[in-house]
Amino acid sequence: MAEGILFDLVGKMLEGLVSLAAEELGAAWGLKEEIDKLDRTASTIGAVLSDAEDQRNRNNHQPLSEDEELEETGYEYFKDLVWRSFLECRSMDCLGESWFTIHDLMHDLACSVAGKEYCIVGLEAENVNKRSRYVSFDSSREMGNTLLKATKVRSFVGNKYWCVNRSLTCYFKCLRVLIFYGSDLKMLPHSIGNLKHLRALYIVSNSNIRELPSSLLMLQLLETLNLDGCGELDCMPRGLGKLISLQNLPLFVVGRTTGKNVGGLSELNGLKKLRGKLHILDLQNAIVEKGSTYLKDKLNLKSLVLEWRWRCREGETVLECLQPHPNLENLQVIGYPGSKMSSWLYSITNLTELILEGFANCQHLQPLHQLYSLKVIRLSRLEALENVSETEMQEELVSGKSTTILFPSLEELEINDCPNLKGWWKGDVDEASNPHLPCFPCLSHLTIKHCPNLTTMPLFPSVTELKLEYTSSKPFQETMKLKKINIEAPSSSTLHPLSKLRILNIQRIQDLHSLQEEFLQNLTSLQSLQIKECLNLTSLPEGMCHLTSLTYLEIIDCPQLSKRFQRETDLDCPNIAHIERIWIIDRYIVQTRKGF
């Protein structure tokens, strides 16, 4: 039935597409090529849907197997529409999720052809009738008699003023999608269970809602339960695991108590189809049996956040029971109270992003060097961490693929607020026997902040942006000393260390007394140099004039260095005369030059 409606709608669109486009575009621009382009797009839509119908006929209307979900088939056709430029990718978030849009003209045209039956309408719209399927609201919280005519509504989008009441659940029993974003909802009515056809329920960015009704378990067709931003939710309802169709559950809250309506981590066992991202919150409340596994069979789960909001004693046992499938790509662990990470961490071979934040007791991490797919590592507020790796450098290198490189895919590394961090490896690194420390071959962005004791780590010859704040300058100096090196991965190439560096930000580096001439050897790409609160820095290299790409220089609260630029004419000295913009600030004295 749904397919018939879809093909009927598109058929109507294609019949009127070119003539309507000609009229609209001709009036607006009079450009024949725009009409031709739209005509080709119409043909593309027809071809794609024709392929879909042929495929459906070839399958003799057989239902999809358990391994071939409807979404996966639809995704293939969606990618085809993107490839043919019917849909355009507008942005991508930090998790790699993309946002797509349809051209405004095509959208308006589709709404025009679809008419009242398929259009999206507002509350006061006069064209709301019993055939209206998609309804959204502007600012009113009242339902109104006009809307009650639309008993066949499939999608309902409420605003922040709306509350779910009995009228909604009684009149609109055909609802498939129900969305409330940023609303003031305090609770869902028990009658929500009457919406037997509901596939997707979004209660997003709501800080007031604290519990979900047990009647939610009556929604056996529910595929999406999105509670993103509902951080005050007390728990998940007991029996949630019986919603076997559920695929998208971005937030799962572990309850404080074990009441009759409080679901624990065991509810995840029944949710075999979970995919996408999952954030498990309040793990300090979790009660687990040793040896339990809750996520290991979720092979379509791509992003996982595990968060403890309060400290507890059983963190290690809980984390061990939350081992994900090796297909996981993004892992974030927040507030973990254990003294060591679980052994399963290095087994997630497809992991591309790892974020560890707010650990109070963890001194060492599991070896990460075998996670060859890692592109992003962020370590923040690991108070007790002494070494990133619990092994010694030679042992780690021997067990890896190379004796000169680590993390062949790593592009971004951030280490922040790790006051006890001494080095990357356990034990002392003998520089005499190891004159060349291993390198990050592809690292482009490196940030190290508030790690005053960090003196040893892999070198970073390929970095393009480097930010150092309240840490040792030793790793930077060691990287500068490198000669021309051969990079073994991802492809063989020769590199001058730091020749790609464009932005350098140095702040509160107390062991930095001068920037030697070797500082200039390879910095041919440097565009911006910022130096702040380096109290012991006395001079810049004599050959600064050779940094021909440098256009911005900022020196703030560096009293020894600022003495060299006390007069306005000092900014024109040959060493820095070529720099377009200069800011030198010491106490209340400001010297600037903006442009030539």
Side-chain angles (χ1 to χ4, degrees):
M1 178 65 180
E3 291 87 350
I5 294 174
L6 176 61
F7 285 107
D8 180 59
L9 169 61
V10 174
K12 293 178 183 178
M13 287 181 61
L14 294 178
E15 289 176 6
L17 190 59
V18 176
S19 59
L20 284 171
E23 180 180 345
E24 295 292 334
L25 289 171
W29 300 296
L31 300 178
K32 184 178 183 299
E33 55 267 26
E34 292 290 342
I35 300 175
D36 293 339
K37 182 178 179 180
L38 199 57
D39 189 17
R40 290 193 298 271
T41 302
S43 300
T44 296
I45 301 171
V48 171
L49 291 172
S50 178
D51 290 343
E53 188 171 27
D54 290 344
Q55 179 67 37
R56 185 187 58 159
N57 292 333
R58 284 195 297 271
N59 291 336
N60 296 320
H61 302 275
Q62 293 181 359
L64 295 172
S65 66
E66 186 175 348
D67 296 331
E68 186 185 6
E69 295 291 344
L70 182 62
E71 287 80 3
E72 295 175 3
T73 303
Y75 181 58
E76 292 302 316
Y77 291 114
F78 180 85
K79 288 194 297 184
D80 196 41
L81 288 172
V82 174
W83 180 74
R84 298 172 189 265
S85 300
F86 177 62
L87 298 173
E88 298 177 353
C89 181
R90 290 299 187 188
S91 63
M92 180 179 293
D93 63 19
C94 59
L95 296 179
E97 293 185 351
S98 301
W99 300 87
F100 294 84
T101 59
I102 188 173
H103 192 279
D104 289 343
L105 179 63
M106 183 63 71
H107 172 268
D108 294 342
L109 183 61
C111 290
S112 175
V113 175
K116 296 180 180 180
E117 186 171 354
Y118 303 100
C119 65
I120 300 175
V121 297
L123 180 63
E124 285 80 21
E126 295 298 328
N127 60 343
V128 178
N129 59 37
K130 63 182 181 180
R131 300 185 67 189
S132 297
R133 298 293 182 93
Y134 309 103
V135 178
S136 62
F137 286 83
D138 296 326
S139 59
S140 176
R141 65 170 70 233
E142 299 296 332
M143 182 163 295
N145 295 327
T146 304
L147 183 59
L148 296 181
K149 300 176 184 178
T151 56
K152 301 297 182 181
V153 165
R154 302 294 181 88
S155 298
F156 187 103
V157 182
N159 57 43
K160 65 179 182 178
Y161 302 105
W162 254 84
C163 59
V164 180
N165 54 36
R166 185 174 176 81
S167 298
L168 180 65
T169 56
C170 289
Y171 281 96
F172 308 119
K173 294 184 178 180
C174 295
L175 272 176
R176 265 63 167 178
V177 179
L178 180 58
I179 301 174
F180 288 94
Y181 186 88
S183 67
D184 295 328
L185 282 175
K186 294 183 179 179
M187 62 180 299
L188 292 173
H190 186 79
S191 58
I192 193 76
N194 295 334
L195 302 177
K196 305 294 185 182
H197 300 285
L198 198 65
R199 262 72 166 181
L201 175 60
Y202 291 79
I203 309 293
V204 180
S205 298
N206 187 324
S207 59
N208 294 319
I209 193 165
R210 292 188 174 274
E211 65 177 304
L212 300 174
S214 59
S215 61
L216 200 68
L217 309 181
M218 299 170 64
L219 306 178
Q220 288 298 306
L221 298 180
L222 194 66
E223 298 175 354
T224 296
L225 177 58
N226 192 324
L227 303 167
D228 263 346
C230 298
E232 298 303 315
L233 194 65
D234 289 332
C235 64
M236 309 306 288
R238 190 180 185 88
L240 184 70
K242 296 179 181 179
L243 296 181
I244 58 175
S245 298
L246 199 60
Q247 299 178 28
N248 300 295
L249 182 65
L251 178 66
F252 185 99
V253 181
V254 182
R256 298 185 184 90
T257 64
T258 56
K260 64 178 182 179
N261 193 38
V262 178
L265 285 176
S266 59
E267 301 295 342
L268 294 170
N269 286 330
L271 305 178
K272 305 292 185 183
K273 296 182 178 181
L274 280 187
R275 60 176 61 229
K277 62 181 181 179
L278 172 63
H279 182 172
I280 304 180
L281 187 62
D282 287 339
L283 280 167
Q284 72 278 358
N285 300 324
I287 300 175
V288 300
E289 293 184 10
K290 192 172 183 179
S292 300
T293 57
Y294 302 110
L295 301 174
K296 201 171 182 179
D297 61 343
K298 310 295 190 291
L299 71 164
N300 290 317
L301 202 61
K302 300 302 181 184
S303 176
L304 176 63
V305 180
L306 306 174
E307 183 172 357
W308 286 256
R309 287 203 278 191
W310 309 101
R311 296 185 180 182
C312 64
R313 296 181 179 180
E314 300 299 325
E316 293 180 17
T317 304
V318 172
L319 185 61
E320 195 66 38
C321 294
L322 292 171
Q323 178 177 355
H325 191 276
N327 287 351
L328 192 75
E329 296 176 358
N330 306 92
L331 174 64
Q332 184 174 0
V333 184
I334 304 173
Y336 174 59
S339 60
K340 62 179 181 179
M341 286 292 291
S342 293
S343 58
W344 53 254
L345 181 59
Y346 67 86
S347 67
I348 315 176
T349 53
N350 288 326
L351 200 65
T352 60
E353 182 175 24
L354 175 64
I355 300 175
L356 306 178
E357 180 181 343
F359 291 14
N361 304 310
C362 190
Q363 294 183 343
H364 311 285
L365 303 179
Q366 291 291 332
L368 304 177
H369 62 281
Q370 295 183 7
L371 299 178
Y372 303 118
S373 299
L374 268 178
K375 294 183 178 181
V376 177
I377 298 178
R378 292 191 178 96
L379 308 176
S380 179
R381 295 187 293 109
L382 308 185
E383 299 171 11
L385 187 70
E386 295 182 358
N387 307 102
V388 175
S389 175
E390 66 176 0
T391 61
E392 295 185 359
M393 185 182 77
Q394 288 301 323
E395 180 183 349
E396 187 168 295
L397 292 177
V398 169
S399 63
K401 288 183 177 180
S402 170
T403 58
T404 58
I405 67 170
L406 289 175
F407 299 97
S409 302
L410 190 65
E411 299 174 357
E412 183 176 343
L413 173 61
E414 181 177 332
I415 308 177
N416 187 25
D417 281 331
C418 299
N420 293 303
L421 182 61
K422 300 175 181 177
W424 193 271
W425 302 276
K426 185 178 180 180
D428 296 328
V429 176
D430 186 355
E431 295 180 17
S433 60
N434 298 284
H436 298 296
L437 292 171
C439 300
F440 296 122
C442 297
L443 188 67
S444 59
H445 292 72
L446 174 61
T447 299
I448 304 176
K449 293 183 177 181
H450 300 275
C451 303
N453 298 308
L454 177 60
T455 58
T456 306
M457 63 178 292
L459 307 182
F460 34 91
S462 302
V463 72
T464 61
E465 293 189 22
L466 177 59
K467 297 180 181 180
L468 303 175
E469 180 179 344
Y470 191 42
T471 187
S472 171
S473 66
K474 190 174 181 180
F476 178 47
Q477 292 173 344
E478 292 295 327
T479 302
M480 286 194 298
K481 291 178 183 178
L482 278 174
K483 304 300 181 182
K484 185 186 298 185
I485 61 172
N486 292 321
I487 299 297
E488 301 176 16
S491 60
S492 297
S493 60
T494 301
L495 175 70
H496 292 280
L498 300 177
S499 60
K500 297 181 179 181
L501 185 61
R502 295 184 294 103
I503 298 175
L504 176 58
N505 189 322
I506 302 174
Q507 185 170 351
R508 298 175 64 192
I509 309 299
Q510 304 308 324
D511 64 349
L512 186 65
H513 298 277
S514 63
L515 294 174
Q516 305 299 328
E517 288 303 316
E518 58 193 14
F519 171 77
L520 304 172
Q521 288 179 358
N522 300 313
L523 301 187
T524 55
S525 301
L526 190 65
Q527 300 173 8
S528 174
L529 174 58
Q530 295 172 283
I531 306 173
K532 300 179 182 179
E533 300 179 70
C534 295
L535 303 182
N536 298 314
L537 182 61
T538 59
S539 64
L540 295 176
E542 291 297 328
M544 285 282 288
C545 57
H546 299 299
L547 301 180
T548 56
S549 297
L550 187 63
T551 59
Y552 182 76
L553 173 63
E554 180 178 287
I555 301 173
I556 297 179
D557 292 333
C558 301
Q560 300 297 324
L561 185 58
S562 298
K563 288 180 180 179
R564 296 175 175 268
F565 306 101
Q566 291 183 344
R567 296 172 301 178
E568 187 173 347
T569 55
D570 292 335
L571 299 181
D572 296 321
C573 68
N575 204 25
I576 60 174
H578 66 290
I579 302 175
E580 295 181 11
R581 294 181 298 156
I582 298 176
W583 282 80
I584 300 178
I585 303 175
D586 184 30
R587 297 179 182 177
Y588 302 105
I589 301 174
V590 180
Q591 298 274 32
T592 66
R593 181 173 70 207
K594 299 180 181 179
F596 287 109

